[in-house]
């Protein structure tokens, strides 16, 4: 009976995590800025909430359910629906961005592990877990780009690919960690 309840909660958490990642990938990110007329203006940020949604999944659902959600997300994107930021299908494996997607599994695991091991619900602990997950995403993505560049898989230079996939996105992803951390803090009470 206890094992059945654990399995039930794990599956429910994984489904919730999958929905968070799917919806996050569909939401374009934006921020409020004050313009020169001292009124608020919405500025679009050139990324989606895909990565912050994955990090939120790790923060809220934990390592096991988060990993199941990330694997389900990758499976849906590779074989069924174009849910990735740049589309989807099995051909996505051959793109420079696939390393970043493949890193979703270890990133959500580490994010969930850090939060689970450090049972404190502090902003610092949530920030540390999020930054750790984001670091893994970029490290695995950069390794994929390095291997692809060394084997001449793409028509872009290493610097161009690093700029397109990491350097231009990382500051915005760090910025988007702030609302994700605050949301996780309020939901983890």
């Amino acid at each position: 009976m206890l094992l059945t309840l654990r399995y039930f909660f794990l599956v429910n958490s994984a489904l919730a995590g999958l929905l968070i990642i799917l919806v996050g990938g569909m939401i374009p990110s934006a921020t409020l800025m004050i313009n020169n007329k001292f009124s608020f203006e919405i500025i679009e940020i050139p990324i989606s909430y895909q990565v912050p949604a994955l990090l939120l999944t790790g923060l809220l659902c934990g390592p096991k359910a988060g990993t199941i959600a990330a694997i389900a997300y990758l499976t849906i994107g590779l074989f069924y629906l174009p849910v990735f930021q740049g589309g989807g299908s099995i051909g996505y494996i051959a793109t420079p961005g696939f390393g970043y997607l493949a890193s979703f599994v270890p990133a959500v695991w580490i994010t969930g592990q850090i939060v689970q091991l450090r049972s404190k619900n502090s902003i610092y602990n949530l920030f540390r877990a999020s930054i750790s997950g984001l670091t893994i995403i970029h490290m695995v993505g950069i390794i994929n780009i390095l291997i692809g560049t060394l084997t001449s898989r793409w028509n872009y230079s290493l610097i161009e690919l690093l700029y397109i996939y990491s350097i231009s996105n990382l500051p915005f992803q760090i910025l988007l960690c702030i609302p994700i951390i605050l949301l996780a803090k309020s939901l983890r009470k």
Side-chain angles (χ1 to χ4, degrees):
M1 177 72 175
L2 185 60
L3 185 60
T4 307
L5 281 175
R6 278 190 185 163
Y7 179 73
F8 175 76
F9 288 122
L10 179 65
V11 169
N12 281 341
S13 292
L15 286 173
L18 176 60
L19 288 175
I20 290 170
I21 299 168
L22 286 170
V23 170
M26 293 182 226
I27 299 173
S29 45
T31 187
L32 269 174
M33 299 293 281
I34 298 176
N35 63 16
N36 57 358
K37 297 176 186 172
F38 297 106
S39 63
F40 288 105
E41 182 178 351
I42 296 176
I43 306 291
E44 189 174 330
I45 299 174
I47 60 172
S48 74
Y49 271 96
Q50 181 183 36
V51 170
L54 174 86
L55 298 173
L56 181 63
T57 299
L59 294 174
L60 294 178
C61 300
K64 291 178 186 174
T67 300
I68 293 168
I71 290 169
Y73 177 72
L74 292 173
T75 303
I76 289 170
L78 289 174
F79 299 109
Y80 299 104
L81 299 172
V83 295
F84 303 146
Q85 189 172 357
S89 83
I90 195 71
Y92 208 83
I93 292 174
T95 67
F98 183 71
Y100 295 89
L101 287 172
S103 69
F104 278 19
V105 175
V108 76
W109 174 264
I110 293 296
T111 302
Q113 278 293 112
I114 290 172
V115 170
Q116 194 173 53
L117 291 175
R118 306 266 188 196
S119 58
K120 297 179 204 168
N121 194 24
S122 69
I123 296 284
Y124 173 74
N125 189 41
L126 296 172
F127 179 76
R128 193 176 75 163
S130 298
I131 293 300
S132 297
L134 193 55
T135 301
I136 289 169
I137 290 171
H138 283 274
M139 283 176 44
V140 173
I142 289 169
I143 289 169
N144 180 56
I145 286 175
L146 286 171
I147 292 169
T149 303
L150 291 173
T151 59
S152 302
R153 288 190 346 209
W154 304 298
N155 296 328
Y156 296 100
S157 71
L158 175 64
I159 299 298
E160 290 172 319
L161 290 171
L162 288 175
Y163 180 78
I164 292 167
Y165 290 96
S166 271
I167 297 169
S168 66
N169 292 331
L170 187 59
F172 295 116
Q173 289 171 340
I174 292 170
L175 180 67
L176 290 176
C177 280
I178 296 167
I180 294 304
I181 291 165
L182 296 174
L183 180 61
K185 173 126 176 94
S186 66
L187 292 174
R188 289 178 52 88
K189 286 186 178 183

